[in-house]
């Protein structure tokens, strides 16, 4: 009978290389994510920033006054918050897709580590504080909200710094390879 050798017979079986294959394939192109992933990251980050700013404006500037002078929430506030929450799930999916190749390869190649770690840390702070705003006790709400929106407002500039650092690195690498 003509059987293929079992996986135990080969010490360096392909099964052990599965986790490295995407990173090795990406090595030829650098750690730049594919276009769809870049658009997804930039779009999700921009949409989250806009809905978060929209909620801040609705919550702090567009309050209505009741018949007795009490502050009433804007009708836009709950919709901005719902849309923001839905977009957060999309952002987490995109962030997860980035972690499989881009983050691992960037770390191994020692590229843009500071801004990358900053982005991951901001994403973790936003995720945990977002969950805390939903599930934590009411006394935590004010300080958690402040942390969440301050971190969220810093996310877009941090992403810009990360992209600019990568572009600078690619230009430097192109100059060195042409010289």
């Amino acid at each position: 009978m003509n059987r293929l050798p079992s996986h135990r017979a080969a010490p360096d079986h392909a099964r052990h290389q599965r986790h490295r294959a995407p990173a090795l394939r990406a090595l030829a192109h650098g750690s730049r994510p594919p276009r769809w992933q870049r658009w997804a990251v930039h779009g999700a980050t921009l949409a989250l920033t806009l809905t978060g700013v929209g909620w801040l404006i609705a919550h702090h500037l567009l309050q209505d006054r009741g018949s007795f002078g009490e502050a009433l929430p804007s009708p836009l506030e709950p919709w901005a918050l719902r849309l923001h929450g839905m977009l957060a799930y999309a952002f987490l999916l995109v962030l997860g897709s980035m972690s499989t190749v881009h983050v691992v390869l960037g770390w191994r190649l020692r590229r843009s580590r500071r801004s990358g770690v900053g982005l991951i840390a901001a994403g973790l702070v936003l995720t945990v504080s977002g969950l805390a705003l939903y599930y934590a006790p009411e006394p935590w709400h004010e300080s958690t909200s402040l942390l969440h929106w301050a971190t969220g407002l810093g996310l877009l500039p941090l992403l810009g710094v990360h992209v600019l650092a990568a572009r600078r690195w690619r230009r430097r690498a192109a100059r060195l390879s042409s010289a």
Side-chain angles (χ1 to χ4, degrees), residues 116-144:
V117 167
L119 282 170
I120 292 170
L124 287 173
V125 167
L126 288 167
T127 301
V128 171
S129 61
L131 288 170
L133 285 168
Y134 198 75
Y135 293 111
E138 190 63 32
W140 294 14
H141 195 82
E142 190 175 335
S143 59
T144 305

Side-chain angles (χ1 to χ4, degrees), residues 28-77:
H29 307 290
S31 67
R32 187 176 191 192
R35 180 178 291 152
W36 72 266
Q37 220 169 23
R38 291 192 312 269
W39 279 86
V41 168
H42 300 163
T45 304
L46 181 61
L48 276 172
T49 302
L50 291 175
T51 56
V53 168
W55 179 85
L56 283 171
I57 290 170
H59 183 73
H60 293 289
L61 300 177
L62 299 179
Q63 291 182 344
D64 291 332
R65 292 285 170 205
S67 56
F68 298 107
E70 74 277 11
L72 298 174
S74 166
L76 297 175
E77 189 175 339

Side-chain angles (χ1 to χ4, degrees), residues 61-161:
L61 300 177
L62 299 179
Q63 291 182 344
D64 291 332
R65 292 285 170 205
S67 56
F68 298 107
E70 74 277 11
L72 298 174
S74 166
L76 297 175
E77 189 175 339
W79 290 103
L81 194 58
R82 287 179 189 127
L83 185 57
H84 189 70
M86 288 187 274
L87 288 167
Y89 284 108
F91 179 76
L92 288 174
L93 286 171
V94 170
L95 191 62
S97 75
M98 295 293 285
S99 66
T100 58
V101 175
H102 178 73
V103 173
V104 172
L105 186 60
W107 189 262
R108 287 182 184 165
L109 295 175
R110 299 178 182 271
R111 292 185 189 165
S112 306
R113 278 188 173 182
R114 288 184 194 144
S115 59
V117 167
L119 282 170
I120 292 170
L124 287 173
V125 167
L126 288 167
T127 301
V128 171
S129 61
L131 288 170
L133 285 168
Y134 198 75
Y135 293 111
E138 190 63 32
W140 294 14
H141 195 82
E142 190 175 335
S143 59
T144 305
S145 179
L146 181 63
L147 172 68
H148 188 79
W149 66 257
T151 307
L153 289 174
L155 186 65
L156 196 59
L158 189 56
L159 179 61
V161 166

